[in-house]
């Protein structure tokens, strides 16, 4: 995947559109999965010594070629003062996903700096900050934006491997597991595709040694499980054990809630109104591409798709504009 290792590849997806200045709940979920991705990356690189099902990592076990700051920020709390640490795969990924808030913030800084140095991530004004209420209140909201070419390449590679016939690499199995644990499969696959993914994962679980070891592991925390119980009352979940949480709608990669972009003039023509909104978004530093025009247009803004719905807000006088609603799959 773009010559990127597993944790940076997943982080390109996971950090996109996340708020950069605040530790939101959804970003915390993403960071926990990103930390687990570091352990999986080390495993795929052969950094662990394995005896039966126990994985051992010496404190000085990473040579210079494998060591990076983002790995060290995850491993340091796990290794601590021990000469070496031993545990099965389940233990390692769960330990990594349970870093404290302070440790998660340190990890976020390390991995985001790593991606920024490669021009794969930047810090821009958040789309939410363009909302009329945030804008008029002069509230600054900033967010990460991943390199658009890298973002598309990584997500398209995952989709191609899992939806098309043929073998699936260990790295893509890891990526699918990470997306599942973030609860955001619905961001990248339609409902029909999710059913196909579920079937493919079940087949992999039965036939692939790595999938059999990884897929049963769950690292979700209490808030996600609570949301899952609520959604079980309303949502039909995938039927197999491995896919049992694949439809969990937890917005770990939630781009932002619907935002209202007002226009400075009143337009009778929908194209003129849309063009005025696009001009405004461009002035805030966003990258905007019109995917489809019409009464409800589709815009691609900073890697994510939105329905642009004509709307007006009643104040002392009506204010015309467009409400941007996140569209799935992305």
């Amino acid at each position: 995947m773009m010559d990127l290792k597993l944790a940076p590849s997943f982080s390109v997806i996971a950090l996109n559109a996340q708020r950069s200045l605040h530790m939101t709940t959804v970003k915390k979920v993403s960071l926990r999965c990103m930390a687990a991705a570091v352990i999986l990356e080390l495993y795929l690189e052969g950094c662990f010594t394995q005896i039966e099902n126990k994985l051992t990592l010496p404190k000085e076990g990473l040579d210079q070629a494998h060591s990076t700051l983002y790995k060290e920020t995850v491993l340091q709390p796990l290794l601590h003062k021990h000469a070496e640490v031993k545990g099965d795969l389940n233990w390692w990924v769960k330990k990594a996903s349970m870093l404290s808030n302070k440790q998660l913030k340190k990890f976020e800084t390390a991995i985001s700096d790593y991606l920024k140095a490669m021009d794969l991530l930047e810090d821009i004004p958040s789309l939410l900050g363009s909302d009329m209420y945030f804008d008029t209140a002069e509230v600054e909201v900033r967010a990460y934006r991943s390199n658009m070419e890298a973002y598309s390449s990584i997500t398209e590679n995952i989709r191609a491997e899992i939806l098309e016939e043929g073998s699936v690499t260990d790295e893509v199995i890891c990526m699918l597991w990470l997306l599942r644990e973030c609860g955001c499969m619905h961001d990248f696959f339609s409902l029909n595709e999710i059913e196909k993914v579920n079937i493919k994962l079940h087949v992999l679980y039965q036939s692939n040694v790595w999938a059999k070891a990884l897929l049963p592991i769950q690292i979700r925390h209490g808030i996600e499980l609570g949301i899952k119980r609520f959604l079980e009352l309303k949502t039909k979940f995938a039927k197999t054990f491995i896919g049992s949480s694949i439809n969990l709608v937890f917005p770990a990669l939630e781009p932002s809630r619907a935002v209202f972009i007002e226009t400075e003039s009143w337009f009778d023509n929908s194209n003129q109104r849309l063009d005025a909104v696009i001009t405004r978004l461009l002035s805030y530093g966003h990258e905007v591409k019109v995917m489809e025009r019409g009464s409800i247009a589709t815009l691609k803004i900073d890697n994510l798709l939105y329905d642009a719905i004509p709307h007006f807000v009643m104040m002392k006088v009506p204010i015309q504009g467009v409400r941007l609603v996140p569209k799935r799959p992305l």
Side-chain angles (χ1 to χ4, degrees), residues 34-284:
M34 287 160 56
V38 170
I39 298 300
L40 299 181
E41 178 182 314
L42 291 169
Y43 182 89
L44 294 179
E45 289 182 331
C47 294
F48 287 98
T49 299
Q50 183 168 359
I51 301 176
E52 296 181 346
N53 69 331
K54 296 296 182 182
L55 304 176
T56 304
L57 185 67
K59 191 170 185 178
E60 307 299 331
L62 293 180
D63 58 35
Q64 205 150 12
H66 291 91
S67 181
T68 56
L69 183 59
Y70 72 80
K71 291 178 183 176
E72 291 171 8
T73 56
V74 172
L75 290 176
Q76 193 173 36
L78 273 62
L79 297 174
H80 198 42
K81 298 179 180 179
H82 302 288
E84 65 178 26
V85 177
K86 183 185 297 184
D88 60 15
L89 182 64
N90 180 70
W91 183 90
W92 278 99
V93 295
K94 284 190 174 180
K95 278 290 185 180
S97 72
M98 294 170 63
L99 297 180
S100 67
N101 288 346
K102 183 178 180 180
Q103 291 163 345
L104 283 177
K105 184 60 185 175
K106 189 175 180 181
F107 171 58
E108 178 191 351
T109 300
I111 192 72
S112 61
D113 285 349
Y114 179 87
L115 294 174
K116 287 174 183 177
M118 299 178 70
D119 293 324
L120 293 175
L121 192 72
E122 57 185 323
D123 192 339
I124 64 168
S126 170
L127 182 62
L128 186 61
S130 305
D131 182 89
M132 182 184 71
Y133 295 103
F134 281 81
D135 189 38
T136 54
E138 298 184 349
V139 175
E140 183 183 24
V141 186
R142 299 192 66 81
Y144 295 116
R145 177 173 64 195
S146 296
N147 178 281
M148 298 183 75
E149 183 180 350
Y151 186 93
S152 295
S153 177
I154 293 167
T155 54
E156 287 169 9
N157 182 72
I158 296 170
R159 285 177 50 81
E161 279 206 31
I162 197 66
L163 293 176
E164 296 174 5
E165 295 296 326
S167 61
V168 180
T169 63
D170 289 348
E171 186 176 35
V172 167
I173 291 173
C174 291
M175 292 290 271
L176 289 165
W177 177 82
L178 291 163
L179 292 176
R180 188 195 74 181
E181 293 307 293
C182 274
C184 53
M185 283 284 194
H186 63 289
D187 282 316
F188 302 99
F189 299 95
S190 68
L191 290 177
N192 287 335
E193 289 171 340
I194 282 178
E195 189 64 27
K196 294 178 182 177
V197 172
N198 176 40
I199 293 170
K200 189 75 170 279
L201 287 178
H202 186 63
V203 171
L204 286 169
Y205 173 72
Q206 293 178 316
S207 60
N208 183 289
V209 174
W210 175 236
K212 197 172 189 66
L214 178 62
L215 294 179
I217 299 173
Q218 294 184 352
I219 59 173
R220 292 184 300 278
H221 295 263
I223 185 170
E224 298 159 83
L225 295 176
I227 293 174
K228 178 180 177 180
R229 292 191 192 100
F230 171 73
L231 291 172
E232 281 175 343
L233 300 175
K234 314 164 65 170
T235 307
K236 181 180 179 181
F237 280 77
K239 299 180 183 63
T240 69
F241 165 69
I242 292 304
S244 63
S245 58
I246 211 169
N247 282 332
L248 175 59
V249 184
F250 182 77
L253 303 188
E254 182 66 68
S256 66
R257 64 176 177 81
V259 300
F260 177 71
I261 312 295
E262 79 276 21
T263 56
E264 295 180 0
S265 303
W266 190 277
F267 297 102
D268 294 325
N269 183 289
S270 60
N271 281 324
Q272 291 177 332
R273 181 172 54 243
L274 183 63
D275 289 339
V277 168
I278 291 172
T279 299
R280 185 164 193 148
L281 290 172
L282 291 172
S283 72
Y284 282 108

